[in-house]
Amino acid sequence: MTQQTIKTNYSALSTLVTVFFFWGFIASGNGVFIPFCKNYFHLDQFQSQLIDFAFYGAYYLGALLLFFISVFRKSDLVSGWGYKRSIVYGLLFSFLGSLAMIAAVNFGGFSGILVSLFIVALGFSLQQTAAQPFAITLGDPATGNTRITLGGAVNSFGTTIGPIVVGLALFGSVAVTDDMINSLELDSITLLYCGIGALFVVCALMFFMSKKVPDGKLDAHVEPANHALSTLIGITAALAIVFTVVFSSYTTPEARQVEAMRTELAAIDANDTVAIAAKNEAISKLNAPIENKRMVLLGSALVVVVGGLLFAKSRAAKKQEGWGALHYPQLVLGMIGIFTYVGVEVTIQSNLSELLKQPAFGGLQAAEIAPYISMYWGSLMIGRWAGSIAAFSVSGLQKKLLMILVPIIAFGVIIGVNSLANHDMRPLYGYIVCIAIQIAAFFYGKDKPARTLFIFSALGVLAMLIGIMTTGTIAVFAFLSGGLFCSIMWPNIFALSVAGLGKYTSQGSAFLIMMILGGGIIPPIQGKLADIIGIHPSYWVTVLCFGYLAWFAIAVSKILKTQGVATGEAGAH
């Protein structure tokens, strides 16, 4: 096993991971914010989902803006500022977003709330662009993925306790009901964001004043990247056109008629099965061409992103000048990898509720589904807690014991948190078997990024196939385990993608952050596919996603070996 040649800066690392906590904590709060806004502002389902679109869309546009500014300045903005100062600026920008939220809640209405969330997430985009490569530089680059995993573990902890803290702050209870959300007043939201804004400032001051955190400055000068700039502008313009058409499809007379018919359906007596069947048939007939059109449009968005990146890879291979960080094949394939990973992580959960409502998968009611969704996101925490053990200096025996105990402890935390919220967790006790499989995968991965990524991706493919080919508890556990196998993908994909980029590391990091966009494209594609072929077989989408990630692990290992870049391993398998 490769020996560390650079000592990890644990003091700086412990300070850095605090921002990872913020990302998970704030994002998880949207779970309460979306239903509140839907009720308070009398929104339809599509309008309420604009909250997530504004939040995650800011990551893409924020990272793209950083690249544009760097191109015109002919120097990388984040590298010039240094990672430390960039994170401070990002926190202060998010603080401005929290101030805007306070004003929007009281005076600006729903559109003002969307703008405020967009500003908060723009700050997060800058923080992520700096924090991810910063974590890699705080020790041996070959083990940089373990430090990002540690950040992810803290992020997942924020995601887990975020809803609890928000529930206590707003309602004085960890068990939040629809009635509580519907009775929430604007004053409570104002107080919440006053607290969040204060935390942003405290964290920024902590970073700025810490002498243990290095500046993290790199060579800021980069060659012109006009070809990369024009390609990304083209991709963005095409996406803007596609999403404009998608959004407008929800306001057409046909779409409004479908919504009106669904309202009529909800008012029909549940015992009048004939009327219900007739209304469903009428809705299906009218809605089919609308959904088919949306499916084509979303598929076009996927083609735009993947096709545009592959075009860049092909052209840059012939002539590197003008492509900036995009002339590195590991980065381009890694961008598709991040796009795919975020997409599959989100889409498994996004469609899980509908799957669990089906008789073959338990026929659960809405209130009974919450523990399963919590276990899915908790699975990410389980894997990240286990994966972060390698970031610490522990002996071989201690490490092996921790690799077994930490996932079990994390599983217990999830069970305990949900039990506090009065959820019945007994049906999920058997999930410990899936966790045992993940523990074995960690031992076989041996902390090698490409090898670990390949193993977890292959297990993801296997789990999704088992879920598709079976029903009942086995299938449910198989789909839930997708969270276990997604857990360590981000740090490994990220570390492999920026390996060997040198002065282009910050630029490459911004490009990777842009690809969080996958969470806004792949889930709707699966959702629209489910409308056509059914929710269960629609999970073939996840098989394809995990399949690409397994291929990427093998391909990037060969690419880096050819370039002579050390990753702490000989290969992916």
Side-chain angles (χ1 to χ4, degrees):
M1 186 172 180
T2 303
Q3 297 294 317
Q4 280 193 322
T5 57
I6 303 175
K7 187 177 180 180
T8 299
N9 186 341
Y10 288 111
S11 296
L13 185 61
S14 62
T15 305
L16 176 63
V17 296
T18 58
V19 297
F20 285 79
F21 176 84
F22 273 117
W23 304 333
F25 180 84
I26 302 300
S28 66
N30 287 349
V32 172
F33 213 51
I34 289 174
F36 162 72
C37 287
K38 183 178 181 180
N39 174 74
Y40 192 89
F41 295 104
H42 307 292
L43 309 175
D44 59 28
Q45 184 62 21
F46 167 70
Q47 289 171 322
S48 69
Q49 295 304 308
L50 289 176
I51 289 177
D52 271 344
F53 185 80
F55 193 82
Y56 291 108
Y59 280 92
Y60 176 85
L61 294 177
L64 185 63
L65 180 62
L66 281 175
F67 173 59
F68 283 176
I69 293 173
S70 297
V71 168
F72 288 119
R73 285 166 48 97
K74 296 183 179 179
S75 64
D76 187 84
L77 200 61
V78 172
S79 296
W81 284 342
Y83 293 138
K84 178 179 180 178
R85 191 187 299 179
S86 296
I87 292 172
V88 171
Y89 290 162
L91 287 164
L92 294 177
F93 207 87
S94 294
F95 167 68
L96 293 178
S98 65
L99 292 181
M101 176 63 74
I102 294 169
V105 165
N106 291 280
F107 308 108
F110 183 61
S111 59
I113 287 174
L114 292 178
V115 172
S116 303
L117 283 172
F118 185 82
I119 295 172
V120 170
L122 279 179
F124 283 4
S125 177
L126 176 55
Q127 293 166 45
Q128 288 230 32
T129 299
Q132 309 284 348
F134 198 14
I136 294 175
T137 66
L138 294 177
D140 188 346
T143 60
N145 64 303
T146 64
R147 291 184 290 281
I148 299 179
T149 301
L150 176 61
V154 176
N155 175 272
S156 291
F157 182 63
T159 302
T160 300
I161 72 167
I164 296 174
V165 175
V166 170
L168 287 171
L170 296 180
F171 311 106
S173 172
V174 296
V176 180
T177 65
D178 290 342
D179 289 339
M180 290 179 178
I181 292 175
N182 293 341
S183 63
L184 186 62
E185 297 295 332
L186 292 180
D187 288 346
S188 299
I189 298 293
T190 299
L191 289 173
L192 174 65
Y193 269 86
C194 283
I196 290 173
L199 288 174
F200 283 139
V201 173
V202 169
C203 191
L205 287 173
M206 180 178 65
F207 249 90
F208 181 73
M209 298 177 67
S210 175
K211 295 181 180 180
K212 296 179 180 179
V213 178
D215 291 334
K217 287 188 176 182
L218 299 174
D219 179 10
H221 176 74
V222 293
E223 283 78 16
N226 296 328
H227 294 323
L229 180 63
S230 59
T231 299
L232 291 173
I233 289 176
I235 290 174
T236 304
L239 287 174
I241 294 172
V242 169
F243 281 119
T244 298
V245 178
V246 169
F247 291 157
S248 65
S249 71
Y250 285 87
T251 60
T252 61
E254 293 81 4
R256 288 172 177 167
Q257 186 178 351
V258 169
E259 289 303 315
M261 293 173 68
R262 284 174 174 161
T263 301
E264 294 170 2
L265 176 64
I268 298 175
D269 189 321
N271 295 321
D272 193 349
T273 56
V274 175
I276 291 175
K279 183 64 69 174
N280 276 324
E281 183 178 355
I283 292 173
S284 179
K285 184 177 181 180
L286 181 61
N287 198 43
I290 299 175
E291 295 300 334
N292 289 339
K293 178 182 178 181
R294 291 171 184 165
M295 181 69 185
V296 171
L297 288 169
L298 289 169
S300 300
L302 178 64
V303 171
V304 164
V305 174
V306 176
L309 291 176
L310 291 179
F311 167 80
K313 178 177 179 294
S314 174
R315 295 298 297 271
K318 297 176 182 178
K319 187 177 180 180
Q320 295 182 1
E321 290 78 8
W323 286 101
L326 288 184
H327 81 262
Y328 290 92
Q330 64 265 39
L331 176 67
V332 178
L333 295 179
M335 290 170 70
I336 299 175
I338 290 290
F339 181 90
T340 304
Y341 150 70
V342 176
V344 72
E345 177 187 279
V346 175
T347 200
I348 292 174
Q349 181 271 329
S350 294
N351 294 283
L352 189 60
S353 294
E354 185 62 29
L355 183 76
L356 294 174
K357 292 177 183 177
Q358 308 304 311
F361 297 91
L364 303 181
Q365 301 298 314
E368 299 172 308
I369 292 173
Y372 292 86
I373 301 299
S374 178
M375 183 57 71
Y376 175 75
W377 290 119
S379 295
L380 294 166
M381 185 181 79
I382 291 170
R384 289 168 180 171
W385 281 20
S388 64
I389 293 171
F392 299 96
S393 298
V394 292
S395 66
L397 180 59
Q398 288 176 326
K399 183 178 178 180
K400 290 178 181 179
L401 290 173
L402 288 173
M403 291 286 286
I404 296 171
L405 292 175
V406 167
I408 296 174
I409 293 171
F411 179 62
V413 169
I414 297 164
I415 294 293
V417 166
N418 280 276
S419 297
L420 286 175
N422 298 321
H423 292 148
D424 182 8
M425 301 301 290
R426 287 174 296 180
L428 289 164
Y429 288 169
Y431 190 62
I432 191 69
V433 175
C434 298
I435 296 171
I437 294 172
Q438 186 200 51
I439 292 172
F442 270 118
F443 277 104
Y444 191 67
K446 298 180 179 179
D447 300 327
K448 299 178 179 180
R451 178 172 179 158
T452 300
L453 179 61
F454 175 78
I455 293 169
F456 276 64
S457 299
L459 286 171
V461 170
L462 180 61
M464 296 302 104
L465 287 174
I466 291 174
I468 291 171
M469 300 302 177
T470 62
T471 57
T473 301
I474 292 177
V476 172
F477 281 9
F479 288 130
L480 287 177
S481 69
L484 293 172
F485 305 130
C486 280
S487 60
I488 51 77
M489 287 187 173
W490 174 282
N492 287 293
I493 297 170
F494 205 100
L496 291 166
S497 299
V498 300
L501 265 60
K503 64 183 179 181
Y504 289 103
T505 299
S506 294
Q507 188 181 103
S509 176
F511 289 165
L512 290 169
I513 298 302
M514 287 172 60
M515 292 298 102
I516 290 176
L517 182 67
I521 293 179
I522 292 177
I525 287 178
Q526 184 182 349
K528 298 306 177 189
L529 185 63
D531 291 331
I532 299 172
I533 65 174
I535 186 66
H536 191 197
S538 74
Y539 271 84
W540 278 105
V541 170
T542 65
V543 175
L544 296 176
C545 290
F546 280 121
Y548 171 79
L549 293 168
W551 175 84
F552 168 74
I554 297 172
V556 75
S557 181
K558 293 178 180 179
I559 290 170
L560 294 176
K561 186 177 181 180
T562 300
Q563 295 177 356
V565 177
T567 60
E569 61 193 310
H573 63 290

